[in-house]
Amino acid sequence: MPESVQLVCLDMAGTTVEDGGAVLAAFHEALPVAGFTPGSPEHAAAVAYALETMGQSKIAVFRVLTRGDEDRAARANQAFEQAYARSVAENGVAPLPGAADAIERMRAAGRQVVLTTGFSPATRDQILDELGWRDLVTLALSPVDAGRGRPYPDMLLTALLRTGTESVTRLAAVGDTTSDLLAGHRAGAAVVAAVRTGTHTDTDFATVPHTHILDSVADLPDLLNAYDGALV
C-alpha cells in the first residue's frame, strides 16, 4: 500500500534555480574544447544533444560527444565548469519563483528535501552559497557523490540511504528534464513529477514514465499534501 512522502529530491537548474540560460551558454563555450567548430553541422548536432540530455552528468555528456576520448571529455568538462562558475560569479543565480517557500513548506510538513544536480560539487556548492541555501535543504548531491548521474537512479537512492528514509515508496523525485523523470522512475519513487520551468516540454515528458506535470515547484507542496491525504 502506498505511504506518505518522507523524502523529496529536487533538481537544481531549471527546477529550483534560475540561471538565465547559463548551462547552455557554458556548453557553447566548452564545445570547441571538445573539438566541435562553431557553425559546423557537428557543432549543431552536439548542441542538440546537450539540450536532449539536460539534467545528466556533464562529464558523461562530453564522453558521449567525444566518443569516449577521456582527455578531451575532461578538458571540455573543465571548460564547462569554469564558464558556468564565471557566469554565476558575474551574473548570479536566483531561486525560481516560489522555490524557497515550497522547500520551507515541505520541511515544515516533516519532509526531508534533497537537491540533486548534474554539476560538480564545486559548482553545486557555489550555487548554494550564492542563494544562501546551505541550511535550507537537508542535503545536496552531485553524480560523484553517488556513482552515476541521471538518468540512473544513484543520486536518488543515495539520498534515501543518507537520510534514513524507510522506502522508495516514500520518495518523490521532481525535475524539469526527461533524465530527471527516468531517474525517478528507475528509483521506484512514488511521485515522479515534471515541472514546466526548464528545458523540456510536455511533449518531451510524454516520452518517459512520470506521475504528474506541474507548472512549477511552487505547486509541489499542495500536490504532496493531497497525495498524503488520499492515502488516509
Side-chain angles (χ1 to χ4, degrees):
M1 177 179 174
E3 299 173 288
S4 61
V5 170
Q6 292 178 331
L7 171 62
V8 183
C9 289
L10 304 173
D11 171 53
M12 292 181 69
T15 301
T16 55
V17 179
E18 171 58 59
D19 62 11
V23 171
L24 189 57
F27 263 115
H28 274 283
E29 285 200 40
L31 285 175
V33 179
F36 296 92
T37 303
S40 68
E42 293 79 13
H43 184 276
V47 171
Y49 183 74
L51 287 168
E52 179 187 340
T53 57
M54 280 291 180
Q56 294 187 18
S57 166
K58 303 303 179 274
I59 183 62
V61 172
F62 285 119
R63 283 177 180 139
V64 172
L65 290 174
T66 60
R67 300 181 184 275
D69 186 325
E70 189 64 27
D71 180 62
R72 272 201 300 151
R75 285 189 285 109
N77 187 65
Q78 183 180 32
F80 170 86
E81 295 283 357
Q82 290 173 343
Y84 192 88
R86 188 167 59 251
S87 175
V88 172
E90 293 175 357
N91 305 313
V93 292
L96 277 163
D101 179 66
I103 293 171
E104 290 172 348
R105 287 179 60 195
M106 289 185 288
R107 295 197 69 179
R111 310 185 202 279
Q112 298 193 76
V113 179
V114 172
L115 296 177
T116 63
T117 180
F119 294 138
S120 71
T123 301
R124 175 200 70 207
D125 291 346
Q126 181 187 16
I127 294 170
L128 292 177
D129 288 339
E130 182 78 16
L131 296 174
W133 278 12
R134 290 276 192 168
D135 296 326
L136 181 64
V137 296
T138 307
L139 186 66
L141 296 172
S142 295
V144 70
D145 300 313
R148 298 170 297 180
R150 309 179 192 109
Y152 298 102
D154 300 30
M155 286 192 289
L156 301 176
L157 297 177
T158 297
L160 183 134
L161 291 170
R162 291 199 187 180
T163 58
T165 301
E166 295 175 12
S167 166
V168 293
T169 62
R170 290 178 173 255
L171 168 64
V174 184
D176 66 298
T177 70
T178 56
S179 294
D180 292 304
L181 302 183
L182 277 172
H185 172 70
R186 291 170 177 176
V191 174
V192 181
V195 292
R196 296 184 173 112
T197 49
T199 302
H200 290 171
T201 66
D202 287 18
T203 301
D204 299 311
F205 300 146
T207 67
V208 295
H210 60 278
T211 60
H212 303 82
I213 298 177
L214 305 174
D215 285 336
S216 79
V217 72
D219 299 325
L220 185 60
D222 288 342
L223 168 66
L224 295 181
N225 290 341
Y227 178 87
D228 288 353
L231 304 177
V232 176

